[in-house]
């Protein structure tokens, strides 16, 4: 009886108070309806932002929260290191572009150049660009140098002409366009290589640790998350107004950037994710040292 009571109490705590770790930045937009209480459910979700990979990796490794939005590549590498993390669904499929303010013909134009990207090594666009360079016969870090900085800093350097190439997510791409142009759509390149029908499985919703035993709670959180993404897409101005309270980018810039961004929650996309990770692993093993097995996907 004591054991049953303990389980029920634990379930009650989880049921009524849950923290969702979400990236700080443009990915606030799809969870803005949760933050603004436009979308609700039986589970009370508190959204907490993470600002860098080191921060969120530490929190995931210690089970600080039970639900987290992560880049697929980051989550796959955490799983390979023994972290009990499972993919529930993918919601971000289009956001990355290469911008240039100098001559660019194709990827070989990057030889001898430095490409800046946000946050640090190992995030999605970093792994993807390294893979594409390898496919073209170029050696990352040898033929093409990489540098990392906060996205706002990269935009400032790009606009001043101090750097010439940047692989960025929206809305930072939009912020660069007055001083350069988009020369590569990473989503189109990936679709041509892979035959993907959705795009790049960039980020998704994950569950951490023992909560994977509580199907009803997971289903409720997933439903709220999915509804939030759908609400944001159908109530753009309202969701942008909420987003702008936390993310200090002008609303017109955010709205323009949505033309090159796609948030769409898809649950059953194991084949897409597995194809992406296996392709990355095959031609750029350093970025994805090990492809996750079936245990990476919530059943």
């Amino acid at each position: 009886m004591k054991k049953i009571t303990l389980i029920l109490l634990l379930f009650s705590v989880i049921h009524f108070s849950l923290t969702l770790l979400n990236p700080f930045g443009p990915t606030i937009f799809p969870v803005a309806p949760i933050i603004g209480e436009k979308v609700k459910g039986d589970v009370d979700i508190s959204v907490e932002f993470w600002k860098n990979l080191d921060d969120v990796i530490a929190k995931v490794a210690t089970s600080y929260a039970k639900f987290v939005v992560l880049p697929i590549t980051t989550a796959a590498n955490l799983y390979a290191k023994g972290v009990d993390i499972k993919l529930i669904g993918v919601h971000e499929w289009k956001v990355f572009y290469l911008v240039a303010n100098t001559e660019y013909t194709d990827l070989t134009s990057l030889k001898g150049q430095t490409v800046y990207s946000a946050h640090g090594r190992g995030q999605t666009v970093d792994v993807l660009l390294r893979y594409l360079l390898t496919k073209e016969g170029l050696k990352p870090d040898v033929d093409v140098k990489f540098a990392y900085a906060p996205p706002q800093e990269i935009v400032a350097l790009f606009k001043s002409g101090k750097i010439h190439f940047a692989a960025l997510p929206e809305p930072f791409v939009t912020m660069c366009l007055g001083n350069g142009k988009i020369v590569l759509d990473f989503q189109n390149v990936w679709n041509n290589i892979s035959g993907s029908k959705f795009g790049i499985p960039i980020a998704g919703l994950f569950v951490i640790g023992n909560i994977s035993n509580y199907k009803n709670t997971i289903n409720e959180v997933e439903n709220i998350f999915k509804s939030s993404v759908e609400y944001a897409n159908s109530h753009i101005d309202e969701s942008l107004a909420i987003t702008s309270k936390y993310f200090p980018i002008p609303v017109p810039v955010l709205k323009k950037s949505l033309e090159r961004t796609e948030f769409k929650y898809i649950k059953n996309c194991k084949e897409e994710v597995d194809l992406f990770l296996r392709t990355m692993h095959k031609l750029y093993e350093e970025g994805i040292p090990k492809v996750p097995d079936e245990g990476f996907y919530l059943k």
Side-chain angles (χ1 to χ4, degrees):
M1 179 63 71
K2 288 183 178 179
K3 185 176 181 181
I4 294 173
T5 303
L6 180 61
I7 291 173
L8 288 173
L9 286 172
L10 178 61
F11 179 80
S12 296
V13 172
I14 293 173
H15 184 77
F16 291 107
S17 180
L18 285 169
T19 297
L20 170 66
L21 298 176
N22 190 81
F24 178 80
T27 44
I28 293 175
F29 174 75
V31 297
I34 296 176
I35 297 170
E37 298 184 341
K38 304 299 179 181
V39 170
K40 299 180 181 180
D42 293 334
V43 174
D44 189 15
I45 298 175
S46 173
V47 178
E48 183 176 316
F49 303 131
W50 59 265
K51 293 188 177 183
N52 60 70
L53 290 177
D54 289 339
D55 173 36
V56 72
I57 287 171
K59 288 181 176 179
V60 168
T62 57
S63 296
Y64 172 85
K66 295 301 183 183
F67 293 91
V68 60
V69 172
L70 280 176
I72 298 298
T73 51
T74 300
N77 288 334
L78 283 173
Y79 180 81
K81 293 177 181 178
V83 176
D84 186 7
I85 186 169
K86 299 186 189 310
L87 174 65
I88 303 174
V90 176
H91 76 307
E92 186 175 15
W93 297 91
K94 182 177 182 180
V95 74
F96 290 119
Y97 301 86
L98 180 68
V99 293
N101 56 20
T102 189
E103 184 178 348
Y104 176 93
T105 304
D106 53 32
L107 283 167
T108 61
S109 300
L110 297 179
K111 187 172 184 178
Q113 301 290 339
T114 299
V115 178
Y116 280 71
S117 65
H119 301 306
R121 185 163 181 162
Q123 33 81 19
T124 303
V125 75
D126 178 68
V127 174
L128 184 57
L129 181 55
R130 288 170 179 273
Y131 157 68
L132 294 176
L133 291 172
T134 302
K135 190 172 180 293
E136 291 294 323
L138 297 172
K139 293 182 179 180
D141 301 315
V142 178
D143 295 319
V144 180
K145 302 294 185 182
F146 285 77
Y148 308 99
Q152 292 93 336
E153 183 178 328
I154 294 174
V155 170
L157 291 170
F158 186 88
K159 292 172 76 171
S160 70
K162 293 180 180 179
I163 67 173
H164 302 297
F165 296 98
L168 290 168
E170 285 289 7
F172 304 104
V173 171
T174 296
M175 295 171 70
C176 288
L177 293 186
N179 302 84
K181 62 181 180 179
I182 294 172
V183 295
L184 184 70
D185 180 329
F186 284 100
Q187 289 73 209
N188 287 344
V189 174
W190 172 248
N191 289 346
N192 290 336
I193 292 171
S194 66
S196 171
K197 57 186 177 182
F198 297 125
I200 302 171
I202 296 167
L205 176 65
F206 292 85
V207 61
I208 305 164
N210 293 332
I211 197 173
S212 60
N213 296 323
Y214 299 100
K215 294 291 186 181
N216 291 339
T217 303
I218 294 170
N219 289 340
E220 182 63 19
V221 171
E222 180 185 27
N223 288 336
I224 294 170
F225 187 83
K226 180 175 183 289
S227 296
S228 183
V229 176
E230 292 172 348
Y231 188 98
N233 286 330
S234 60
H235 298 76
I236 291 175
D237 290 337
E238 185 179 0
S239 299
L240 285 176
I242 298 169
T243 302
S244 65
K245 293 179 181 178
Y246 303 90
F247 188 43
I249 302 292
V251 169
V253 173
L254 290 173
K255 190 168 186 178
K256 184 68 177 177
S257 74
L258 290 176
E259 296 176 6
R260 287 179 290 270
T261 306
E262 183 174 16
F263 292 109
K264 181 179 181 181
Y265 184 80
I266 300 176
K267 180 175 183 177
N268 298 314
C269 55
K270 176 182 176 296
E271 290 184 6
E272 294 282 331
V273 174
D274 187 64
L275 174 62
F276 177 66
L277 294 175
R278 286 186 183 281
T279 303
M280 296 297 103
H281 172 75
K282 182 178 180 181
L283 288 180
Y284 190 64
E285 188 174 346
E286 183 182 347
I288 303 292
K290 185 177 180 181
V291 178
D293 59 21
E294 292 286 333
F296 182 63
Y297 304 92
L298 185 70
K299 296 179 176 62

